Structure formats: C-alpha cells, structure tokens
Amino acid sequence: MTPGTTRLDHVVLWVRDPIAAVDFYEKAVGLEPVRLPEFAAGEEPFPSVRVNEEALLDLMPLSMAERMKMLPGAADSSGHPVNHVCLALPQGDFDALRTRLEERVVPVSDVSHGSFGARGEAERSFYFRDPDGNVIEARHYD
C-alpha cells in the first residue's frame, strides 16, 4: 500500500441469515468466505467475504442491531440506507459473474456502458440484489 493513501477496508451489510449470505456471495458472486466456521461456532459475531487482499464485505446479522451500542443509531440503520456497493472485476470475471447469477435465476439489470467510477469510465456494468435486498453493481474497466 502506498504510504498516505486512503483505502476502503470494509463495508458492513445487514443480512437476515449470515450463513445464507456467505453462501450467495461465495457461490454466486465468487468471493471467499472469512471467519465462517468461527461464526457458525458462535465464536465471532459475523462472517465476512473477501473482495480482495485489502477489502471485505462484513455480513452483519440484523439481530445484532439493537446490541450495537458503540455505533449510535445502529438499529435505525438496519435496513437499506446504502444505495449500492460496486465491485470492479476483470472482464472475464465480470462475464462469469453474470452467467452464475443468471444460472441461479438472480434478476440482473441490463448492461450499461460508460458509467463513471473510481477508475474513470467503465466499459460495462450491471446491478443485482443479494438475498437481503442489498444492491450490488458489477463493472469492468478493461
């Protein structure tokens, strides 16, 4: 990591069933589970999935909202106050993701071209929802 560079570390998504959410993100989206056995054993409060070597999606059980006293208003945020989370993938992985989602009958949006993001104009992008209704955008720049 370049010194002095800010990086996105993690995004926390509220989910009804963290194990089912991990299954979706692993099998449909292709992300690696993190701390799933520990969560299932009651040793960790939530599991995660790895986006890349620097970033995670934490899959926080909705049942934790009332107990999250360190975050003022946590219970009020348990819903979908985030518009969407965007995953940038290489072109081949982008195409494979869309195929996996369609095979699992996950509704996907039309493909758009030239939408702006962190690395400029994306070649293509589309949107889908996870089983908890969180909106995910997938895009590729190459």
Side-chain angles (χ1 to χ4, degrees):
M1 185 162 102
T2 306
T5 301
T6 301
R7 298 267 203 258
L8 182 65
D9 185 84
H10 68 275
V11 173
V12 179
L13 300 177
W14 291 111
V15 299
R16 289 182 297 274
D17 181 344
I19 293 173
V22 167
D23 185 68
F24 174 81
Y25 280 101
E26 178 182 22
K27 293 178 180 160
V29 183
L31 303 181
E32 174 189 350
V34 177
R35 302 185 334 159
L36 182 59
E38 296 85 350
F39 171 75
E43 298 166 2
E44 296 293 344
F46 58 88
S48 304
V49 289
R50 183 160 296 285
V51 175
N52 60 37
E53 64 279 354
E54 295 182 351
L56 298 170
L57 292 179
D58 293 336
L59 305 171
M60 183 67 65
L62 276 168
S63 60
M64 293 287 293
E66 292 294 332
R67 293 182 273 165
M68 294 187 71
K69 303 299 182 197
M70 73 295 214
L71 177 64
D76 296 333
S77 76
S78 60
H80 303 285
V82 174
N83 181 276
H84 72 278
V85 173
C86 181
L87 301 174
L89 304 102
Q91 181 177 349
D93 294 344
F94 173 92
D95 293 330
L97 169 59
R98 189 166 177 98
T99 298
R100 284 193 309 274
L101 293 170
E102 289 171 344
E103 287 171 353
R104 287 173 169 76
V105 196
V106 175
V108 295
S109 72
D110 291 337
V111 172
S112 63
H113 301 270
S115 62
F116 180 77
R119 293 168 40 201
E121 300 287 323
E123 282 292 316
R124 297 181 297 160
S125 63
F126 69 90
Y127 296 83
F128 62 94
R129 290 183 185 273
D130 75 5
D132 290 283
N134 295 299
V135 178
I136 309 297
E137 176 186 0
R139 64 172 45 212
H140 74 89
Y141 287 97
D142 53 348

